[in-house]
Amino acid sequence: MIRKTFARAIVATALTASASAFVLAQSTPAVLTIHADQPVSKVSPTLYGLMTEEINFSYDGGLYAEMVRNRTFGNDWSGMQHWLLVEDGDSEAAISSDKQTGPSEALPASLRIDVKQADAQNQAGVLNEGYWGMPLRPNTSYKGSFYAKAGSADLGAVTVSLVNNFSGEVVATARIPAIATEWKQYGFTLKTGMIEASAANHLAITVGHAGTLWLNLVSLFPPTYHDRANGNRIDLMEKLAAMHPAFLRFPGGNYLEGDHIPERYQWKKTIGPLVDRPTHPSPWRYHSSDGLGLLEFLEWCEDLKMQPVLAVYAGYSMAQEHVDPGPNLDPYVQDALDELEYVTGTVDTKWGAIRAQNGHSEPFKLTYVEIGNEDNFDKSGSYEGRYAQFYKAIKAKYPDLQLIATMPVKDTRPDVVDDHFYVRATKFFQDATHYDKTDRSGPKIFVGEWATREGAPTPNFGAALGDAAWMTGMERNSDIVVMAAYAPLLVNVNPGGMQWETDLIGYDAMRSYGSPSYYAQVMFSKYLGDETLGSKLDGAGPKLFYSITRDSAKKRLYLKLVNASSTPQPMEIDFAGARLAQMGKLISLTAHSTQATNTLEQPTQIVPIETALDGIGNHLHYTIPGYAIQVIQIDEQ
Ligand code: AHR
């Protein structure tokens, strides 16, 4: 009796949000019968993973912790964006883009600063505004560097400072005593004191003497995840880690393809010292620093214990440009083979040795390789031939690799086919059975991009309901759906930061938050199980979805319930074939409206709440609230 009261109390608490919904509760209970002793299919251990690309300032101005924006003053349309002249007091200077000199072949140009007049008190130079500010925290060290060249030794010292935008206060400073007349790299550390954490800061690089200074690759990093040099933002990595991702699909998406063939993702230009990376224009309308290059992707996998799902460029770029299968495609196939060797080769291979030189002698484990991206958009119909050519060459050298096709192909049988879904919640409710009847003898399925697109910049609770309903279907069918990844993953929510609406995790320079859909993912991924169980649902409303899995090692059941209706749903849940504990755990994500959401200002409006659930045993009389995504965890006795 007491136990039941406890269980009811939980339901009532969840309902205080919506008294009217409580009144409108369905009167007839739905009956869910679960056969705990009847495993139906295996749950793929790699079901939930991440998909990323450079979009919405995902890396530059996002995960990649670099604080200096447009650090290489490239010869592209971005010119000297985000750099401004500093002229303190009566100092005088001019800045220009110099195409004649730079620190490397990859970076042949530079920013030239001609200082006509300056002294120690009245310095002149440049400032960088960062990616919508420079996030500074108290008592923190920031590691910086730049490449520079002086017109003559008379130029003297260079001062590097972090300055508060509002007070003008210098919150950290360092001095480089002299600059050589040949290109050289200089390092420095900027340490803040007892400041208030804020993003309203900029970086200033100034001199106190007339003369000329050339700069390139100006860089500044805060502390990073796992303390990696050239590493990632800690808060975002922690959010990703909480998703328990099994894999990372990279580098795209459209970012892999580029608008035009020369703008494709050229992995060889993203490895090695930063000064040897030329950067490139991305299809998402901003330039990519390529600071997060191929090795950094792989190290990101290593940090979060994910397996890489590597997409190789397959001869199609989005402006309907393609490379004909045959000899013209051979160099691209070879490039992919080189890439696979870079990832998996031992140090006695050419590209394995280069990877070791770049700082990682251990080869990475690779199982899945995707050939291209969304090649159904290639109107020439060349994918059939392109896929076959890549497939044959890769399988000849790496027979164990699982090769993913980006659309169905006829002449070659792919190991896996990648399906993409960007829809409204209603569509996912209707389509949650999408894979129920898929031919099990066919290629496996990778749902490489999917999302309910409702809410901007990040999904609202209505979208989370659509996502959760869809996930119950993928989970039920994860004997065939081996991997799935929400996309896009990241968005910088500052004005101009977003190119694609409805992204899982939002942030600015300083803060980040998970959307309701993010928390739905965390719940589904954390409580996965390894086998689905036999079950039957009768008498439920059309917007009730569920998935029942079991962790065979832990002897534990996970019942995921999704009520996408505003009306609570009473349920009689019977567990047959096992003795279950009386006490379980309820993890609940609920909201009062489909429009409810999280934001930077209110990051935890909608988060999972965990409570004990008593009185389970082999029969649970339970009401799932309206607008709810829940997991019930129960141990077998
Ligand atoms: O996720 C955004 C874009 O959607 C991807 O780059 C592309 O693959 C898809 O069309």
Side-chain angles (χ1 to χ4, degrees):
M1 204 50 204
I2 296 166
R3 287 171 181 163
K4 283 209 167 154
T5 312
F6 186 40
R8 269 206 305 273
I10 291 163
V11 175
T13 312
L15 287 177
T16 46
S18 172
S20 57
F22 191 62
V23 172
L24 291 172
Q26 298 242 359
S27 48
T28 332
V31 178
L32 175 60
T33 310
I34 292 163
H35 298 281
D37 57 344
Q38 289 177 16
V40 170
S41 58
K42 291 280 168 221
V43 172
S44 167
T46 54
L47 181 57
Y48 298 116
L50 308 177
M51 186 275 167
T52 82
E53 62 177 319
E54 184 59 283
I55 183 173
N56 302 321
F57 293 85
S58 286
Y59 310 147
D60 290 347
L63 185 73
Y64 180 55
E66 173 65 82
M67 294 162 72
V68 178
R69 189 165 181 183
N70 187 20
R71 66 185 180 184
T72 53
F73 316 105
N75 291 337
D76 67 303
W77 52 266
S78 72
M80 284 189 300
Q81 281 185 342
H82 313 293
W83 288 95
L84 297 161
L85 187 61
V86 174
E87 290 173 311
D88 287 344
D90 60 0
S91 67
E92 268 183 65
I95 53 174
S96 55
S97 169
D98 191 339
K99 308 251 185 301
Q100 309 306 319
T101 184
S104 64
E105 212 176 293
L107 301 177
S110 52
L111 171 69
R112 176 180 169 138
I113 310 166
D114 287 299
V115 181
K116 201 168 155 201
Q117 183 180 313
D119 58 43
Q121 279 69 49
N122 301 294
Q123 301 228 343
V126 286
L127 70 81
N128 184 269
E129 57 192 17
Y131 289 96
W132 294 274
M134 291 223 170
L136 297 184
R137 293 184 167 79
N139 302 315
T140 305
S141 289
Y142 297 83
K143 286 191 192 135
S145 61
F146 56 69
Y147 283 78
K149 178 176 104 164
S152 87
D154 293 348
L155 185 71
V158 168
T159 303
V160 190
S161 319
L162 284 164
V163 184
N164 183 282
N165 290 348
F166 295 109
S167 66
E169 189 194 341
V170 173
V171 297
T173 190
R175 190 168 175 273
I176 317 290
I179 302 290
T181 53
E182 296 302 322
W183 282 103
K184 226 182 111 187
Q185 189 180 23
Y186 299 85
F188 54 88
T189 299
L190 295 169
K191 187 164 186 330
T192 56
M194 279 304 292
I195 57 164
E196 219 173 276
S198 149
N201 305 285
H202 61 266
L203 177 77
I205 303 175
T206 56
V207 295
H209 195 281
T212 304
L213 176 70
W214 286 267
L215 287 175
N216 208 329
L217 194 53
V218 182
S219 174
L220 187 67
F221 273 82
T224 57
Y225 192 75
H226 285 185
D227 240 348
R228 278 198 192 272
N230 197 41
N232 293 335
R233 246 173 86 160
I234 295 171
D235 59 335
L236 293 177
M237 284 295 273
E238 285 175 350
K239 286 199 168 58
L240 300 180
M243 292 174 71
H244 304 274
F247 66 87
L248 177 72
R249 173 180 176 231
F250 68 88
N254 295 153
Y255 184 59
L256 171 76
E257 307 161 84
D259 283 335
H260 305 282
I261 294 173
E263 293 169 5
R264 69 193 184 279
Y265 184 80
Q266 299 189 51
W267 69 272
K268 285 177 184 159
K269 296 184 176 175
T270 74
I271 56 171
L274 296 179
V275 73
D276 296 330
R277 303 185 193 183
T279 79
H280 82 285
S282 96
W284 295 107
R285 303 188 291 281
Y286 59 94
H287 210 80
S288 173
S289 76
D290 288 326
L292 202 159
L294 178 58
L295 184 58
E296 287 80 13
F297 277 117
L298 295 164
E299 288 175 339
W300 173 8
C301 291
E302 197 167 70
D303 280 351
L304 298 190
K305 300 184 175 51
M306 313 178 278
Q307 58 169 294
V309 174
L310 178 69
V312 297
Y313 180 76
Y316 168 70
S317 295
M318 287 185 299
Q320 290 304 318
E321 294 174 14
H322 79 273
V323 182
D324 281 328
N328 289 350
L329 195 63
D330 282 342
Y332 297 87
V333 174
Q334 188 55 50
D335 201 54
L337 291 173
D338 292 348
E339 189 171 7
L340 299 180
E341 189 173 285
Y342 184 88
V343 176
T344 64
T346 50
V347 293
D348 49 8
T349 62
K350 176 182 169 196
W351 286 101
I354 294 175
R355 185 198 62 240
Q357 231 174 58
N358 296 160
H360 203 287
S361 40
E362 248 337 272
F364 292 90
K365 191 175 169 322
L366 185 69
T367 304
Y368 292 101
V369 173
E370 179 151 15
I371 297 170
N373 178 62
E374 292 190 341
D375 289 271
N376 48 314
F377 285 103
D378 171 9
K379 292 191 190 129
S380 75
S382 68
Y383 189 60
E384 191 72 45
R386 289 189 288 109
Y387 183 80
Q389 198 168 332
F390 273 87
Y391 184 95
K392 208 168 147 219
I394 295 175
K395 283 279 184 185
K397 193 162 175 205
Y398 302 99
D400 293 338
L401 282 179
Q402 297 289 292
L403 301 185
I404 305 170
T406 70
M407 60 179 280
V409 281
K410 286 192 256 35
D411 301 339
T412 318
R413 188 189 144 92
D415 299 308
V416 183
V417 173
D418 183 356
D419 278 354
H420 292 180
F421 300 85
Y422 289 110
V423 299
R424 298 286 193 214
T426 308
K427 177 69 183 161
F428 270 155
F429 300 150
Q430 293 160 352
D431 211 20
T433 54
H434 189 92
Y435 291 110
D436 285 4
K437 301 235 154 51
T438 301
D439 181 357
R440 264 43 188 178
S441 69
K444 301 275 187 198
I445 309 288
F446 174 27
V447 185
E449 294 179 30
W450 67 271
T452 305
R453 294 190 75 193
E454 292 186 21
T458 50
N460 55 32
F461 196 74
L465 289 167
D467 292 346
W470 177 244
M471 282 191 282
T472 62
M474 290 199 292
E475 208 164 274
R476 186 171 54 248
N477 290 291
S478 72
D479 55 323
I480 187 87
V481 180
V482 286
M483 297 183 291
Y486 186 101
L489 181 66
L490 299 167
V491 62
N492 189 315
V493 302
N494 276 297
M498 180 181 71
Q499 289 86 49
W500 179 282
E501 283 189 4
T502 318
D503 309 291
L504 203 64
I505 298 171
Y507 48 86
D508 64 6
M510 197 83 201
R511 305 164 292 171
S512 57
Y513 69 97
S515 62
S517 291
Y518 165 81
Y519 287 110
Q521 296 256 336
V522 168
M523 287 164 65
F524 271 68
S525 180
K526 185 168 174 193
Y527 303 100
L528 183 59
D530 55 25
E531 56 192 19
T532 64
L533 297 178
S535 63
K536 189 167 174 281
L537 177 66
D538 291 308
K543 288 196 202 165
L544 186 77
F545 306 89
Y546 77 99
S547 157
I548 175 72
T549 61
R550 177 172 181 267
D551 183 321
S552 55
K554 290 185 181 148
K555 298 198 185 320
R556 179 172 280 174
L557 267 52
Y558 301 120
L559 172 60
K560 294 174 185 112
L561 295 171
V562 180
N563 187 5
S565 157
S566 58
T567 313
Q569 171 72 64
M571 300 183 76
E572 299 297 340
I573 306 173
D574 278 314
F575 297 96
R579 259 169 63 88
L580 299 184
Q582 289 292 312
M583 198 72 169
K585 199 160 91 172
L586 172 72
I587 303 97
S588 184
L589 190 72
T590 58
H592 311 323
S593 134
T594 55
Q595 297 308 296
T597 199
N598 292 334
T599 61
L600 270 185
E601 285 68 36
Q602 294 185 299
T604 54
Q605 283 282 306
I606 300 164
V607 290
I609 310 271
E610 196 177 304
T611 41
L613 185 60
D614 204 351
I616 305 174
N618 280 49
H619 182 86
L620 180 63
H621 172 74
Y622 183 71
T623 297
I624 176 166
Y627 295 147
I629 299 164
Q630 300 192 317
V631 181
I632 296 175
Q633 175 188 302
I634 321 158
D635 284 337
E636 292 169 12
Q637 278 185 326

